[in-house]
Amino acid sequence: MTDEKDERRPAGELEATVMAALWAAREPLTPSRVQRELGVGLARTTVTTILSRLHDKGVVGRERLGRGYAYFAVQDAPGLTARRMHGELARDTDRETVLARFVAQLSADDEQVLRRLLEGDER
């Protein structure tokens, strides 16, 4: 049974909600357990589909548990954001311009952090 809410929510929002549940967990979670942890009325089939898509993207890992799988996050939130940024950069053929515009739009504080990181101080 599919909940009508499932159809109206953007995929990115659903993925973020599922990832938050996996990050909060201390162990791999089955789709049913993720569904219970979310408590937002998503159908188990919807949760399973989201987990499968996240696995296909390499964002979550899974291990066999009985006839199904239990899922776990393979990256933390900052790692996932960095992955998305790399993906966006890879979509454009003019990387230099994209990077130049990105840097031009940084706040002064973020620019200092970036300079420090580029100089090898990764704190």
Side-chain angles (χ1 to χ4, degrees), residues 10 29 54:
L29 301 179
L54 289 169

Side-chain angles (χ1 to χ4, degrees), residues 72-122:
F72 54 92
V74 296
Q75 293 184 326
D76 59 7
L80 185 55
T81 300
R83 180 185 174 109
R84 288 180 181 141
M85 291 169 69
H86 279 285
E88 288 301 316
L89 183 59
R91 287 191 214 344
D92 200 296
T93 57
D94 189 357
R95 294 172 72 95
E96 184 173 345
T97 300
V98 172
L99 286 169
R101 291 187 181 165
F102 175 77
V103 170
Q105 295 175 16
L106 290 174
S107 69
D109 289 342
D110 286 344
E111 184 178 340
Q112 289 301 316
V113 169
L114 185 57
R115 284 184 191 280
R116 191 180 74 238
L117 291 171
L118 290 172
E119 292 168 0
D121 181 11
E122 296 188 27

Side-chain angles (χ1 to χ4, degrees), residues 9-70:
R9 296 173 85 183
E13 179 184 329
L14 292 172
E15 288 181 359
T17 303
V18 168
M19 288 304 300
L22 292 176
W23 286 321
R26 297 183 189 266
E27 61 189 6
L29 301 179
T30 62
S32 296
R33 178 87 184 275
V34 171
Q35 179 189 28
R36 284 194 308 274
E37 294 294 322
L38 295 177
V40 293
L42 291 176
R44 187 191 50 75
T45 54
T46 300
V47 173
T48 301
T49 298
I50 294 166
L51 287 165
S52 294
R53 288 180 182 160
L54 289 169
H55 180 262
D56 291 345
K57 293 177 183 180
V59 175
V60 302
R62 67 184 181 191
E63 57 187 40
R64 185 60 90 172
L65 186 64
R67 294 186 343 196
Y69 292 100

